[in-house]
Amino acid sequence: MTVAVVGSGYVGTTLAACLADLGHRVTAVDIDESVVETINAGSVPAHEPGLDELVETHAGDRLRATTRSDAVADADVVFLAVGTPSAPDGSVDVAPIADATRAAADALADVDDRRLVVVKSTVPPPEIDRLRSILDDRAGDAVELATNPEFLREGTAVDDFLSPDKLVFGTESAWATETLASVYDRLRDGERVPIVDVDPETAMMVKYANNAVLAAKVSLANEIGNVCKEFGLDAYAVLAAVGLDDRVSERFLRSGVGWGGSCFPKDLSALIAAADAEGYDAPLLRAAVEVNDRQPERLLSLLEAHGDVADDRIAVLGLAFKPGTDDVRNSRAIPVIRGLRARGADVVAYDPVATEPMRELLPEVTYADSAAAALDRADGAVVVTGWDEFAALDDAFDRMDRPVVVDGRRVIERRDGIVYEGLTWPA
Ligand code: UGA
């Protein structure tokens, strides 16, 4: 099939490269000239394991990129995968997706064979009708709207795309369902991957609900973890046992300093704001956010229980919002560092890959080249990202002036010579 993908962020680029790999002819459309040049040169604008190989293989052949939005006129299926930034009140700024829909509609104004415009971006269900109206008003009658949310995780996006748990189609006709099924046919592995076929608004609600359930699950693990800590118990032992109940599953029960990234915080705020606009105040969703907001402070209280940190040198180990990425958006390291600085501490931070993005956000912090250098002469350390390398620091702790270590991700082994505190497990 001939497919256009509008927006070349990590979702759009993963989608474009994977669809090319499935055998489709794909045009990636982005307003950023440098992103387009990067893709056409066979490189990737965003770091994602496995994506560079796919782009390198297919660029110039089944995958090409352009800044021309009229390129979508040639496509059987047009995916819209542009960003949906948050407005200051937490709601979604729908201007970019509305602009992309308008541009696609204009490019498809004169077509008379059936075309499908598929919203991949995460858009609150009540906003879908606005996009539908844009298409109805500007594109030809043969153009139809669908939604098709994605469930990719940063760091494993290519694998997640190629081996999904489910495909969710939000469609308004049997033709649209069949068209989307043809797009994904090669990865369906026979009937192994279920298709959930619902209307466009319901499909988008599946996306929000999916992230809300996962984020709330982690917040519940954190709340149980905080209670365990008060009782002197190990939340990891407790929740490992709970996770053996297959109604629960053991996944997304790792308690600690909380969730970050570009998805959970944004999608929960957007869902709360959209529900609020309808007059519902969503207490449990708000609580999931509140528990998450409190975890960094709990980490710092545990550190302070071992002494005042004012004028102390404190090492912050880990800046990325999770291991395997250099993304620092909504990383728990941000409130942790701000909290330390507000207490007068001298922060020395280290991350194997996320130093530069964090330096842009928090230039006043000292950044070390290694964990050992961050720990050198430190009066305390906090672990914020669960990088494997932190499990193997061994003698580096001997370099600390006061070896108090508060672990927010359960990666450090207890050892002689350090005072060790777990965030949701006993000292
Ligand atoms: C998340 C979802 O997992 C994807 O399915 C979804 O497509 C994506 O959002 C999105 O909406 O685009 P992602 O943000 O890449 O993916 O990262 P996750 O691996 O889900 O982790 C999110 C946060 O939760 C991280 O900060 C992680 O450290 C934290 N987490 C996760 C925990 O604290 N404990 C856990 O047990 C699991």
Side-chain angles (χ1 to χ4, degrees), residues 10-11 122 150-155 160 207 210-211 214 218 222 250-264 267 321-323 332 409:
Y10 102 95
V11 173
T122 305
E150 57 76 25
F151 302 93
L152 313 176
R153 287 163 301 168
E154 261 179 67
D160 289 345
K207 165 73 185 189
N210 215 96
N211 274 354
L214 290 172
V218 177
N222 286 337
E250 90 275 31
R251 301 184 68 189
F252 277 70
L253 284 179
R254 288 187 65 85
S255 56
V257 71
W259 37 264
S262 63
C263 305
F264 285 0
D267 288 355
F321 87 92
K322 66 175 182 181
R332 300 294 77 198
R409 297 290 181 189

Side-chain angles (χ1 to χ4, degrees), residues 259-337:
W259 37 264
S262 63
C263 305
F264 285 0
K266 180 164 76 80
D267 288 355
L268 263 79
S269 302
L271 186 55
I272 291 167
D276 198 53
E278 303 296 328
Y280 182 69
D281 81 341
L284 196 51
L285 297 179
R286 287 183 195 278
V289 174
E290 192 186 326
V291 170
N292 198 53
D293 287 346
R294 283 192 200 175
Q295 291 310 92
E297 274 300 312
R298 281 192 67 87
L299 181 93
L300 297 180
S301 314
L302 286 174
L303 180 66
E304 280 183 309
H306 295 275
D308 192 358
V309 296
D311 299 322
D312 278 358
R313 180 181 159 102
I314 304 295
V316 173
L317 301 183
L319 299 170
F321 87 92
K322 66 175 182 181
T325 176
D326 64 357
D327 195 341
V328 298
R329 284 177 289 176
N330 282 302
S331 169
R332 300 294 77 198
I334 299 166
V336 166
I337 291 173

Side-chain angles (χ1 to χ4, degrees), residues 47-131:
H47 174 72
E48 196 52 51
L51 190 55
D52 33 5
E53 285 94 326
L54 286 186
V55 172
E56 197 184 339
T57 306
H58 299 297
D61 179 19
R62 289 208 292 268
L63 173 65
R64 62 182 196 96
T66 178
T67 52
R68 296 176 56 99
S69 60
D70 57 357
V72 308
D74 299 329
D76 302 312
V77 181
V78 179
F79 284 97
L80 303 180
V82 296
T84 46
S86 292
D89 66 352
S91 65
V92 169
D93 174 4
V94 287
I97 184 71
D99 288 347
T101 307
R102 216 168 282 121
D106 290 345
L108 296 169
D110 300 322
V111 301
D112 32 43
D113 52 331
R114 286 181 107 170
R115 307 294 179 91
L116 198 59
V117 173
V118 186
V119 180
K120 261 279 166 201
S121 310
T122 305
V123 179
E127 299 288 347
I128 296 293
D129 207 34
R130 187 198 304 207
L131 306 182

Side-chain angles (χ1 to χ4, degrees), residues 223-238 298 302 410 414 420-427:
E223 180 121 299
I224 288 171
N226 295 340
V227 176
C228 284
K229 180 76 181 176
E230 297 298 327
F231 292 169
L233 301 176
D234 181 349
Y236 277 70
V238 170
R298 281 192 67 87
L302 286 174
R410 201 174 175 102
R414 281 187 190 77
Y420 178 83
E421 275 286 356
L423 186 50
T424 58
W425 56 99

